[in-house]
């Protein structure tokens, strides 16, 4: 049933996307080029509706609706998609977008989805108590916005999301988690069907309609899919989502270092930095795909690893992320604490 639902959702999204494009142009849901954006012509921007429609059409095939969390997730998905659609149509203020995200996250939390504890090494657990709900809300809203922020190039958010969803589905298969397997497969098929029309050169953008929906669903599915991991349970989905999460974190650091408001948009995200280094549009997207795939493989390895392997892999990944961020200038050209540190050590060794 999982494979069937994936194929059905792929076909529905593939067929629906051109229809949504015509609808977007008719109602004026288009993205105008400006100095912050990469595209040079007016583009339809509610392509995420095709992903959402395919999801709704396909989710009943694997009998996922019998699960206790199905309807809270469905309500949250509807709220977040409506928020994105209204933003694509009317350009909502940041306050209203955040309110929609809080409402969507609240729907799943009220429905019983929240992180009650975090697994730690040596068979220990950290019982979160009153922190459970705010931490869950923070995770859902944070990941939702992280996916939204990387939606800056043709096929980027859809491709990265597909890699993340494929990884979650594989882990669910390994863990025999039927509900997460069904959700992951349906979302993966829907996203890939849209990606056919969205890859460079894109015929349509997903807009906030799609980016917020994808981010929301990935945040919720990852919580359900990795909660039983023995070692560092919340760390595994964070590694899996390392590309969008690190890009968001470095954006926050960048704005603090440069004394800019956190809400201000800029052209210094990961994809902007790679473009500035001379990579083409398509090369930049493929590089970020490769990075996402690497973190996906690492997440799968970590779910099966012992403690010492997990610690070594995580430290190596964090070091690589920091050095890469400094190399491409994610914060600024002057912000290079790691590279300066290693240069100083090298100089001291040379002097001796």
């Amino acid at each position: 049933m999982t494979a069937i639902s994936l194929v059905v959702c792929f076909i529905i999204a593939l067929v629906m996307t051109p229809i949504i494009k015509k609808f977007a142009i008719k109602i004026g849901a288009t993205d105008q080029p400006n100095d912050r954006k990469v595209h040079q012509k007016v583009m339809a921007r509610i392509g995420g509706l095709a992903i959402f429609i395919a999801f709704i059409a396909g989710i009943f095939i694997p009998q996922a609706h019998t699960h206790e969390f199905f309807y809270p997730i469905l309500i949250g998905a509807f709220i977040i998609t409506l928020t994105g659609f209204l933003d694509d149509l009317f350009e909502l203020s940041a306050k209203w977008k955040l309110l929609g995200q809080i409402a969507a996250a609240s729907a799943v939390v009220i429905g019983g989805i929240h992180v009650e504890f975090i697994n730690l090494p040596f068979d220990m657990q950290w019982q979160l108590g009153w922190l459970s709900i705010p931490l869950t809300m923070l995770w859902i809203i944070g990941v939702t916005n992280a996916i939204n922020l990387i939606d800056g190039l043709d096929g980027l958010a859809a491709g990265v999301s597909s890699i993340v969803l494929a990884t979650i589905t594989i882990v669910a298969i390994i863990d025999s988690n039927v509900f997460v397997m069904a959700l992951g497969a349906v979302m993966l098929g829907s996203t890939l069907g849209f990606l056919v029309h969205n890859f460079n050169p894109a015929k349509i953008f997903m807009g906030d309609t799609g980016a917020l929906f994808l981010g929301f669903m990935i945040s919720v599915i990852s919580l359900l899919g990795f909660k039983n991991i023995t070692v560092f349970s919340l760390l595994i989905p964070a590694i899996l989502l390392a590309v969008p999460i690190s890009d968001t974190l470095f954006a926050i650091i960048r704005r603090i270092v440069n004394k800019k408001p956190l809400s201000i948009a800029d052209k210094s995200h990961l994809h902007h930095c790679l473009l500035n280094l001379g990579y083409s549009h398509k090369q930049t997207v493929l590089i970020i795909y490769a990075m996402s795939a690497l973190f996906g493989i690492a997440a799968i390895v970590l779910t099966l690893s012992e403690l010492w392997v997990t610690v070594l892999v995580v430290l190596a990944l964090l070091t690589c992320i920091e050095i890469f961020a400094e190399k491409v200038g994610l914060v600024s050209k002057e912000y290079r604490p790691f590279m300066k540190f290693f240069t100083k050590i090298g100089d001291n060794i040379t002097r001796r």
Side-chain angles (χ1 to χ4, degrees):
M1 278 297 184
T2 301
I4 294 172
S5 58
L6 189 154
V7 173
V8 168
C9 290
F10 175 84
I11 294 171
I12 293 173
L14 187 68
V15 172
M16 284 300 302
T17 301
I19 299 172
I20 295 297
K21 178 182 176 181
K22 293 178 180 177
F23 176 63
I25 293 172
K26 187 174 182 179
I27 65 174
T30 54
D31 202 349
Q32 305 293 327
N34 60 39
D35 59 356
R36 192 177 63 84
K37 297 176 180 177
V38 176
H39 66 280
Q40 302 297 318
K41 62 180 181 179
V42 177
M43 297 286 290
R45 67 174 180 184
I46 56 170
L49 267 183
I51 303 175
F52 180 71
I53 291 169
F55 166 77
I56 295 298
I59 193 59
F60 291 93
I61 297 174
Q63 300 294 310
H65 63 282
T66 59
H67 196 278
E68 61 177 317
F69 293 150
F70 175 77
Y71 287 103
I73 292 174
L74 196 64
I75 292 169
F78 177 79
I79 293 171
I80 202 69
T81 304
L82 179 61
T83 301
F85 177 77
L86 292 175
D87 184 50
D88 285 334
L89 202 55
F90 303 113
E91 296 190 5
L92 301 177
S93 67
K95 177 180 69 176
W96 285 106
K97 285 173 66 175
L98 179 60
L99 187 62
Q101 293 168 23
I102 292 172
S106 298
V108 296
V109 169
I110 292 170
I113 300 174
H114 45 84
V115 185
E116 297 177 350
F117 60 86
I118 296 176
N119 288 326
L120 298 171
F122 310 112
D123 293 324
M124 294 189 298
Q125 286 184 344
W126 176 21
Q127 297 292 335
L128 293 171
W130 66 270
L131 283 173
S132 173
I133 291 177
L135 181 61
T136 304
M137 295 283 289
L138 181 63
W139 172 263
I140 294 173
I141 294 170
V143 172
T144 299
N145 281 289
I147 296 296
N148 192 27
L149 284 175
I150 65 166
D151 184 28
L153 294 179
D154 296 354
L156 183 55
V160 169
S161 296
S162 296
I163 293 167
V164 170
L165 289 164
T167 305
I168 293 173
T169 305
I170 291 169
V171 172
I173 292 171
I174 294 171
D175 199 36
S176 300
N177 190 331
V178 178
F179 182 57
V180 172
M181 196 191 312
L183 289 175
V186 169
M187 286 298 301
L188 178 58
S190 303
T191 308
L192 287 174
F194 170 76
L195 182 58
V196 172
H197 300 281
N198 183 237
F199 193 74
N200 183 261
K203 301 176 182 69
I204 185 172
F205 292 161
M206 68 168 63
D208 276 13
T209 306
L212 293 181
F213 172 59
L214 279 174
F216 172 80
M217 289 301 298
I218 286 172
S219 68
V220 174
I221 298 172
S222 63
L223 279 182
L224 295 174
F226 292 95
K227 66 178 181 179
N228 294 322
I229 301 302
T230 305
V231 181
F232 297 122
S233 54
L234 203 59
L235 185 63
I236 308 300
I239 292 295
L240 171 60
L241 291 159
V243 170
I245 288 176
S246 60
D247 190 34
T248 302
L249 289 175
F250 281 114
I252 293 171
I253 295 171
R254 180 171 63 248
R255 285 156 196 175
I256 292 173
V257 169
N258 296 322
K259 298 179 181 178
K260 302 276 186 174
L262 294 181
S263 59
I264 193 170
D266 60 28
K267 292 190 72 171
S268 298
H269 287 284
L270 174 59
H271 53 278
H272 294 126
C273 292
L274 291 173
L275 288 171
N276 291 337
L277 288 174
Y279 293 104
S280 69
H281 191 127
K282 193 169 291 186
Q283 286 174 333
T284 297
V285 171
L286 292 176
I287 288 170
I288 298 176
Y289 282 3
M291 293 169 62
S292 298
L294 175 65
F295 288 118
I297 293 169
I300 294 173
V301 170
L302 291 178
T303 62
L304 305 171
S305 299
E306 296 182 2
L307 174 60
W308 68 272
V309 177
T310 300
V311 172
L312 288 176
V313 171
V314 169
L315 287 176
L317 288 174
L318 290 175
T319 303
C320 289
I321 290 171
E322 174 63 27
I323 292 174
F324 181 80
E326 293 178 17
K327 196 77 175 175
V328 302
L330 261 180
V331 176
S332 68
K333 291 181 179 179
E334 293 75 28
Y335 178 83
R336 297 191 170 187
F338 258 55
M339 294 177 70
K340 289 177 180 177
F341 174 73
F342 288 123
T343 300
K344 186 178 290 186
I345 291 176
D347 290 342
N348 290 336
I349 293 172
T350 303
R351 289 186 192 124
R352 291 177 184 177

